[in-house]
Amino acid sequence: MARKLNVAIVGATGVVGSIMRRLIAKERGNWGEVRLIASARSAGKRLEVGDELLTVQAIGPDVFDGIDIAHFDLPDDVSAEWVPVAAAKGVVVIDKSAYFRMDPEVPLVCREANPGDAANRPKGIIANANCTTLALIPTLAALNAEFGLVSMSVASYQAASGSGKEGLEALYAQLQKVGGADGAGTAGNDLRLVLGEEFNAPFGAPLALNVVPKVGGWREDGWTSEELKVRNESRKILGLPDLKVASTCVRVPVAVGHSQVVHATFEREVTVAEAHRVLAAAEGVDLVDDPENMVFPMPIDSVGREGTQVGRIRQSIDFPNSLEFFVVADNLMKGAALNSIETADLVRRELEAAQQ
C-alpha cells in the first residue's frame, strides 16, 4: 500500500489559506501530515484543519523537510525566494503567485484544460493561473475542444477580494462611511468629498458606489498587468499561442466573485443549442442560462461554489461563428484555492502510482 503523502500550505493564515485549510480538511483521508507554514510573525498560531488544531511554523529551509507537495500563496517576491528552496528539497510546489507562470519550464495548469501538463515539471514547480483567467478557462476549454477558439474579447468585473484581505476590508469601510450619506454619488465629486483621499487605497480611487477601470499595475501602451495575464495565461493553458485576445479589467464594489463578459469567435459555426450541449457536459462548468425566468450567473450566487457559472449565451448577430456569454466564478475558490487543490490531486495520484 502506498504511503500517504505529506502536504503543506504556505501562507496558511491568509484569506486563501483559510479556504485551503477547509478544502484539505474535506479530503483529509488522502494525506499524511498537513503542515501549516507562514511568516515568522504568524509562527505559533494554532489553526484548525477540520477537527485538528495545528501549529503554524515559520517559513525557513528546514520547514519543507518531509513534505511531498506544497501549496504556496505568497506575494510574488516572497514566492520567488522560497519556491526554489522547497523545490530543491524535492517538494512539488504549486504556486499561486505570478512569478513563475510564464516560465517555459513551469506548467500552468487548469484541470479542465491541460491536466496532463502537471506531470511535465522539470523545475518541480507548477503555477496556478490568475483568478480572472481561471474563471474563464473551464468554459473556454470545452468550447475550444468542440469548435476551435480563434479569438476572444473579455471585459471583467472583479471583486474587491481580488486585492486580498486589504481590498475586502477597504470596500466594507467605504460602504460603511457612505451608507449614512443620503444622496451620495448623485452630485459631482461628492463621493470623494465624503470618503477623503485616504479611501483611494488600495484601488487607486474610491470603490463604493463606483467602478475603477484598473486592476493590477500599469504596463506599456496603457495596458494593466491583469489584462495581459488574461491574454498570456489563456494562450499558455489552452495551448493556443496565436489566440487573439482583448481584455479590459475593472474593479467593482462586489465582495467575492469575478464576472466576465465574453465575445468569442470560433473556427466552426456554433449555435446556442450546441453551446448548451457542450457546456452542460463540461467538467467544472455550471450552465445557468434561463434568462426569461431571471436565471443567470451572478456573484452573489457564486460564493463558495466550486464550478464556474456560465449563462446569457447568445449567438452573435454581426459576427460569424461567434458567441456572447457571461461567466462568474468565486475568485477565492476556483480562482485560487480550489484550482490548487485540484492540481495537487493530479500530482498526488501520480506520485502514489509511482510508489506501487
Side-chain angles (χ1 to χ4, degrees), residues 24-58:
I24 284 181
K26 289 173 62 177
E27 55 170 35
R28 185 66 183 89
N30 292 335
W31 302 101
E33 179 188 356
V34 176
R35 192 175 300 174
L36 306 182
I37 301 170
S39 65
R41 67 177 179 274
S42 295
K45 287 185 177 179
R46 303 271 282 170
L47 299 176
E48 292 181 350
V49 178
D51 295 332
E52 299 174 272
L53 194 60
L54 304 179
T55 301
V56 177
Q57 301 184 37

Side-chain angles (χ1 to χ4, degrees), residues 158 219 303 322:
Q158 298 183 216
R219 297 295 184 264
V303 178
S322 298

Side-chain angles (χ1 to χ4, degrees), residues 171-185 190-191 194-195 206 208-209:
L171 174 61
Y172 288 142
Q174 291 180 28
L175 290 172
Q176 186 173 24
K177 185 152 188 182
V178 302
D182 291 343
D190 63 342
L191 273 175
V194 169
L195 290 170
L209 306 184

Side-chain angles (χ1 to χ4, degrees), residues 198-211:
E198 67 270 24
F199 283 99
N200 286 344
F203 310 110
L207 189 61
L209 306 184
N210 191 32
V211 299

Side-chain angles (χ1 to χ4, degrees), residues 24-190:
I24 284 181
K26 289 173 62 177
E27 55 170 35
R28 185 66 183 89
N30 292 335
W31 302 101
E33 179 188 356
V34 176
R35 192 175 300 174
L36 306 182
I37 301 170
S39 65
R41 67 177 179 274
S42 295
K45 287 185 177 179
R46 303 271 282 170
L47 299 176
E48 292 181 350
V49 178
D51 295 332
E52 299 174 272
L53 194 60
L54 304 179
T55 301
V56 177
Q57 301 184 37
I59 195 167
D62 297 336
V63 80
F64 299 107
D65 290 348
I67 293 297
D68 298 289
I69 300 173
H71 300 273
F72 270 66
D73 182 40
L74 299 172
D76 290 4
D77 57 334
V78 184
S79 274
E81 177 183 359
W82 287 105
V83 164
V85 173
K89 287 181 170 283
V91 179
V92 178
V93 175
I94 302 167
D95 179 51
K96 298 183 189 68
S97 80
Y99 190 82
F100 297 97
R101 288 177 189 157
M102 300 314 296
D103 186 325
E105 294 188 300
V106 175
L108 187 61
V109 173
C110 177
R111 182 188 64 180
E112 293 84 355
N114 61 339
D117 287 1
N120 181 21
R121 46 179 192 275
K123 292 186 175 181
I125 303 167
I126 302 170
N128 214 53
N130 174 265
C131 53
T132 314
T133 306
L134 286 170
L136 283 172
I137 291 298
T139 296
L140 292 177
L143 293 173
N144 174 59
E146 190 78 12
F147 308 109
L149 183 63
V150 173
S151 66
M152 65 177 182
S153 178
V154 181
S156 69
Y157 308 103
Q158 298 183 216
S161 57
S163 288
K165 184 179 178 182
E166 179 188 12
L168 198 54
E169 290 178 346
L171 174 61
Y172 288 142
Q174 291 180 28
L175 290 172
Q176 186 173 24
K177 185 152 188 182
V178 302
D182 291 343
T186 62
N189 209 38
D190 63 342

